[in-house]
Amino acid sequence: MGERGRLRLHPDEAPVPGPSAEELLGRVAAGDEPAFAALYDLIAGPVLGLVTRVLRNHAQAEEVAQEVLVEVWRKATRYVPERGSALSWVLTIAHRRAVDRVRSHQAVLDREERAGRMDVRRPFDEVTESTLATLDQQRVRQCLAELTDLQRESIVLAYYNGYTYPEVAEVLKVAPGTVKTRIRDGLIRLRDCLGVDR
């Protein structure tokens, strides 16, 4: 029957249960990578499920779940079996991480809302139009070179490549409010460099 036949269990043989999550976590605490791979298989699904329920965004949930699993690897020595099961310890870490992400996201939204309510004397879009439309490109390039890398990247993406602020934020991996601030500050510096009247 060959190899496949040898792998079959006899009817009276019960499958041998694998090590428990607690046992695996103990091995992980000692730096056992194969044990972590086995633990990962046991806990990844419940971790992702919990984080997804908190965040309601699958992409963010996957990112946070990976952060949780890295934290489990790094902090396995802190697990105390007398205080509860390995899974409950892991899910506590997952819940805390997910809540932190929600709070962080809300803080960004609050900052953006405050920035949007700020009274700006002159919209920076007008500065952009008057600067880029009336001055030669050589001078603009020279003045762009004087900006910080972050200001220059934001302005080039928005005004030369036609990206929206959310698209610039996605490319640069920062909040849209940060992009607006970088562009506003960069355009003020451009205006000063180019000698454009306020």
Side-chain angles (χ1 to χ4, degrees):
M1 295 226 305
E3 188 175 337
R4 294 181 73 182
R6 287 199 300 274
L7 292 176
R8 283 199 188 127
L9 294 174
H10 292 288
D12 57 341
E13 287 183 33
V16 179
S20 67
E22 288 74 18
E23 184 181 342
L24 290 170
L25 196 51
R27 292 187 204 165
V28 170
D32 185 334
E33 290 186 25
F36 181 71
L39 181 65
Y40 184 103
D41 290 341
L42 282 178
I43 65 174
V47 166
L48 182 59
L50 171 66
V51 173
T52 302
R53 282 195 299 278
V54 174
L55 294 178
R56 297 194 176 119
N57 177 305
H58 193 70
Q60 280 194 30
E62 286 182 340
E63 185 179 317
V64 171
Q66 286 302 318
E67 291 171 5
V68 169
L69 293 164
V70 169
E71 187 171 347
V72 168
W73 167 258
R74 285 184 21 248
K75 297 185 177 178
T77 55
R78 297 187 187 178
Y79 169 61
V80 179
E82 293 76 22
R83 293 187 185 167
S85 72
L87 184 59
S88 66
W89 181 76
V90 169
L91 292 180
T92 299
I93 293 172
H95 186 263
R96 188 177 64 246
R97 280 266 185 174
V99 169
D100 287 348
R101 177 64 66 95
V102 169
R103 288 178 179 153
S104 173
H105 180 66
Q106 188 59 49
V108 168
L109 293 178
D110 292 346
R111 280 195 302 272
E112 288 174 7
E113 185 181 344
R114 284 194 299 273
R117 287 196 307 252
M118 283 173 35
D119 179 31
V120 180
R121 288 183 200 154
R122 186 175 181 195
F124 51 82
D125 287 333
E126 291 178 29
V127 177
T128 305
E129 289 170 11
S130 62
T131 301
L132 299 180
T134 60
L135 298 168
D136 70 282
Q137 295 217 340
Q138 180 73 20
R139 286 186 62 210
V140 172
R141 273 196 294 272
Q142 288 171 347
C143 289
L144 277 171
E146 294 181 22
L147 301 180
T148 67
D149 291 343
L150 300 175
Q151 290 170 341
R152 185 170 51 255
E153 286 174 343
S154 299
I155 289 172
V156 168
L157 286 169
Y159 293 98
Y160 285 94
N161 296 351
Y163 284 39
T164 63
Y165 293 152
E167 289 170 341
V168 173
E170 180 67 26
V171 169
L172 299 180
K173 304 292 186 223
V174 295
T178 303
V179 168
K180 290 179 184 177
T181 301
R182 287 179 185 171
I183 291 175
R184 182 190 64 225
D185 294 346
L187 290 173
I188 289 169
R189 288 183 64 185
L190 266 181
R191 180 193 61 208
D192 293 341
C193 174
L194 293 165
V196 177
D197 292 331
R198 289 175 184 264

